[in-house]
Amino acid sequence: MSSSFFLKGKSRQIQKRKGEKLKKKPKKQAGPNLENGHESSESDLDIKKFSDIEEPESDNETAEEKKLRLAKKYLQEIEKEEAKRAEDKEIDDAVEKRLQKDYLEQKGKLRIEVADKYLTPNETDIRFVRVREHKLTLTCVCISNDSSLAFTGSKCGTIIKWSIKEKKKLGCLTYKSHSKLLKGSITSVAISTDSKYLVSSDESTEIKVWDPSTLNHLHTFRGHKDVVTGLVFRKNTHQLYSSSKDRSVKIWSLDEMAYVETLFGHQSPITSIDALTRERAITSGGRDTSIRIWKIVEESQLIFNGPVGSLDEVKLLDEEHFVSGSDNGSLCVWSVLKKKPLCTIPEAHGSENEVPRWITSLGALLNSDVFASGSYDNCIRVWKVTDAYRKVLPLFNLEISGFVNGIQFTGDGRQLYAAVGQEHKSGRWFKLGSVKNGLFIVNLNIKT
C-alpha cells in the first residue's frame, strides 16, 4: 500500500509539471503589428489618442476654424477652473474673517459701526402684541441667540414663549398650571446661547431651569437668601450668573446642575447683572452707587463709583465698555480702564414736576455703537456712541407708552423687543392707568 501511495503522488507531480509547461506563452516575435491588413506605427497611435480627446470636427471645417474652436474650448475650461478657485478663496476669506471676528470679540476690541445705517422707524414698523395670559405689567424679555424665540415674564407670574418669525405665541407657563414652581412676579428670564436651557426667577429665592422647546421643568437651584433680581448666561457656555437682594452673586453650572461659587462685595441689594464671553460678570449695586466687575478667574473685582442716586441698570456694550442708568435720570458710558464715566447724559429722558425720570431699562446691540434706554416718558430712546466712547448722540425715538421694563435687540440688529406695562417692574410707586400691558416689536430698517 505504501508503494502505490508514492506512485500516485509521483504521477500527480508529473501532471502538474506538464500543465505548467503547457501554460507557458510563446515569446513575441519582433516585427510590425498588422491591423486590418495595415501596418500600425507610433504616429498612428498618437493620432488616435489626440482624436479621442478632441470633439468631432465637421467635414467642412477649415484649419483656422478648428484653431478657433479649440481656443474657445480652452478658454471655457480656464473659466471653470478660475471660478472654482475663486469660490474656494471666498470660503477661505469667510473663515479668516470669522476667526478674526471671534478673536476681536474675545479680546473686547470688536466694534461694528452701524448707527449711521439705521433709518428712523415709521408707525407701521412698531407693533404692539397683547395676550390674555399677561394680565399685569411685563417685567422682562430675552431673545435666543439665533433670533428665533423670545420669552417674556410678567407680574402675574406668567412666562410666554414667542416665535419671532411668525410673531405669535407658541406656549406659556402660568401661575395656575405651575403653582408649585412659579411663585409670584417673574423678575428675570434668560436663555443659553445654544437655546438648550431657559432659566427664570420670581419673588422667591429659587431659580427654575426649563427646556425652551417643550417648557418642561428640569431643575431648581436653591441658595440665595432673598429675591433673585437678575440672571445671565456666560456666552457660549452653560455657566449661569445670578444676582439677588441678598447682595451676593452666585455662579451655577447647568452641565452638572450644581452650585459653584458665591461672590460678595455690594453693600445694598443688587439691581442688575450682565455678562459676555469672558469669565466675568458685571453688576449694579443700587443704593451703594457702585458698579462691580467680578473677575472670577483672578478672584478679584473692579469697583466703579457712579452718580448720586440708585444705580438700577447696567449693560455691556462689549468686553471693554458698558453703560449704566440711574434713578436720577442719568446715562453713563464707562471703560473698564477708567474709574469715572467717559461720558454722562443728565436727565436723558427728561423730568416730570422737576423730578428726573428714572432709567428703567437698557438694551445694547452687542459690539456696536448703538444702545437703547427706556423710562416712562412714552418713548424708547436709541443712542449712538461716538468719539471713542466719549460722546453719545441721540439717534431716534420710538413712541411707546408705559413703563419700559425690558429692552433687547435681536442678534442682527433688525428688531427690538420691549416689555411694557403700567408699573415699574420692581414696585408700585405709581401707575399709568391708561397704558396697556404687552410686548412691543419694532422693525429697524438698515441701509444696505
Side-chain angles (χ1 to χ4, degrees):
M1 290 182 66
S2 61
S3 61
S4 62
F5 175 79
F6 287 110
L7 284 172
K8 286 181 181 178
K10 187 177 181 182
S11 63
R12 285 178 184 173
Q13 288 179 0
I14 293 168
Q15 288 176 3
K16 187 176 181 182
R17 287 174 185 171
K18 285 181 180 180
E20 286 178 356
K21 289 180 181 179
L22 291 172
K23 287 180 183 178
K24 287 183 179 179
K25 295 182 180 179
K27 292 183 180 179
K28 290 184 179 180
Q29 296 179 358
N33 292 329
L34 298 177
E35 186 177 345
N36 296 330
H38 298 285
E39 187 176 337
S40 178
S41 64
E42 291 182 1
S43 60
D44 293 333
L45 292 173
D46 293 338
I47 292 169
K48 285 181 180 179
K49 290 177 181 177
F50 186 72
S51 63
D52 290 339
I53 296 171
E54 291 183 358
E55 294 179 354
E57 59 184 36
S58 63
D59 297 334
N60 300 325
E61 190 177 32
T62 63
E64 293 296 329
E65 290 174 344
K66 182 179 180 180
K67 287 181 181 179
L68 182 62
R69 176 172 56 80
L70 293 176
K72 287 181 178 179
K73 183 182 176 184
Y74 180 63
L75 289 173
Q76 288 176 358
E77 291 177 356
I78 290 175
E79 287 177 358
K80 289 180 182 178
E81 290 177 2
E82 290 301 322
K84 188 176 180 181
R85 287 178 185 175
E87 184 179 352
D88 294 339
K89 188 177 180 182
E90 287 178 1
I91 294 172
D92 293 340
D93 291 343
V95 172
E96 184 180 354
K97 288 180 180 178
R98 177 63 184 273
L99 291 173
Q100 186 179 10
K101 181 180 177 182
D102 292 344
Y103 172 77
L104 292 173
E105 184 177 357
Q106 180 71 24
K107 293 294 182 180
K109 296 180 180 179
L110 179 63
R111 181 176 170 84
I112 305 171
E113 296 184 353
V114 295
D116 294 333
K117 296 181 180 179
Y118 276 108
L119 301 174
T120 304
N122 301 319
E123 292 182 1
T124 55
D125 295 323
I126 302 175
R127 180 182 176 187
F128 178 71
V129 182
R130 189 183 182 190
V131 289
R132 61 182 181 180
E133 286 83 2
H134 279 329
K135 297 178 181 179
L136 299 178
T137 296
L138 274 70
T139 57
C140 51
V141 60
C142 73
I143 297 175
S144 61
N145 188 59
D146 59 0
S147 302
S148 63
L149 298 174
F151 295 87
T152 54
S154 70
K155 283 190 174 183
C156 60
T158 303
I159 299 173
I160 291 184
K161 174 183 176 182
W162 305 85
S163 169
I164 290 180
K165 186 176 180 180
E166 299 174 357
K167 295 182 178 63
K168 69 175 185 179
K169 182 184 72 174
L170 297 180
C172 65
L173 299 168
T174 62
Y175 178 75
K176 290 183 178 179
S177 60
H178 296 79
S179 58
K180 294 182 180 180
L181 297 172
L182 300 175
K183 301 174 182 178
S185 172
I186 305 298
T187 57
S188 181
V189 288
I191 188 169
S192 60
T193 309
D194 58 359
S195 299
K196 186 176 180 180
Y197 298 109
L198 173 73
V199 291
S200 67
S201 61
D202 47 39
E203 291 181 335
S204 68
T205 60
E206 300 173 346
I207 300 169
K208 282 82 177 181
V209 184
W210 313 86
D211 182 349
S213 58
T214 61
L215 295 180
N216 292 330
H217 179 252
L218 301 177
H219 190 74
T220 299
F221 287 122
R222 296 178 177 88
H224 280 293
K225 298 179 180 179
D226 207 334
V227 174
V228 178
T229 57
L231 298 169
V232 64
F233 278 97
R234 180 184 165 207
K235 196 174 180 183
N236 299 321
T237 71
H238 293 151
Q239 194 173 52
L240 176 68
Y241 304 131
S242 63
S243 62
S244 171
K245 287 184 178 181
D246 64 7
R247 299 175 292 177
S248 71
V249 174
K250 289 187 183 291
I251 306 171
W252 315 85
S253 173
L254 271 72
D255 290 324
E256 294 85 13
M257 291 295 176
Y259 159 81
V260 178
E261 190 179 358
T262 301
L263 309 173
F264 294 100
H266 279 293
Q267 303 301 311
S268 64
I270 301 174
T271 55
S272 179
I273 188 169
D274 198 15
L276 290 180
T277 308
R278 290 182 183 176
E279 201 164 351
R280 295 181 177 185
I282 185 170
T283 54
S284 58
R287 289 294 169 186
D288 71 4
T289 67
S290 72
I291 296 172
R292 294 177 187 249
I293 294 180
W294 307 88
K295 303 168 76 172
I296 297 165
V297 176
E298 296 87 344
E299 296 184 353
S300 63
Q301 53 185 284
L302 301 176
I303 303 174
F304 305 85
N305 294 315
V308 177
S310 176
L311 269 172
D312 292 340
E313 298 292 326
V314 66
K315 200 73 176 179
L316 285 164
L317 300 174
D318 53 39
E319 295 284 4
E320 301 290 333
H321 301 89
F322 56 93
V323 59
S324 67
S326 176
D327 70 347
N328 67 1
S330 63
L331 283 174
C332 298
V333 177
W334 305 74
S335 168
V336 296
L337 303 176
K338 299 281 186 178
K339 292 296 183 179
K340 294 182 179 180
L342 299 178
C343 175
T344 301
I345 307 172
E347 298 186 10
H349 284 259
S351 60
E352 186 177 10
N353 299 325
E354 298 182 356
V355 177
R357 293 189 178 93
W358 311 340
I359 304 299
T360 58
S361 59
L362 292 172
L365 182 57
L366 189 59
N367 297 314
S368 76
D369 55 349
V370 175
F371 73 92
S373 63
S375 185
Y376 50 95
D377 59 339
N378 296 329
C379 72
I380 292 176
R381 299 179 188 268
V382 181
W383 307 87
K384 171 187 174 181
V385 183
T386 185
D387 193 18
Y389 296 92
R390 296 183 181 277
K391 193 174 182 181
V392 176
L393 300 175
L395 203 57
F396 52 80
N397 296 338
L398 304 171
E399 293 185 5
I400 292 175
S401 56
F403 278 88
V404 182
N405 291 320
I407 301 174
Q408 189 162 357
F409 289 88
T410 53
D412 57 6
R414 294 187 176 274
Q415 283 188 324
L416 182 145
Y417 281 66
V420 180
Q422 297 178 339
E423 304 166 344
H424 191 281
K425 59 186 174 184
S426 301
R428 294 181 174 178
W429 294 282
F430 52 94
K431 183 177 180 179
L432 304 176
S434 60
V435 172
K436 296 180 180 178
N437 303 312
L439 179 68
F440 276 93
I441 304 171
V442 183
N443 294 322
L444 300 174
N445 302 312
I446 303 176
K447 297 177 186 177
T448 55

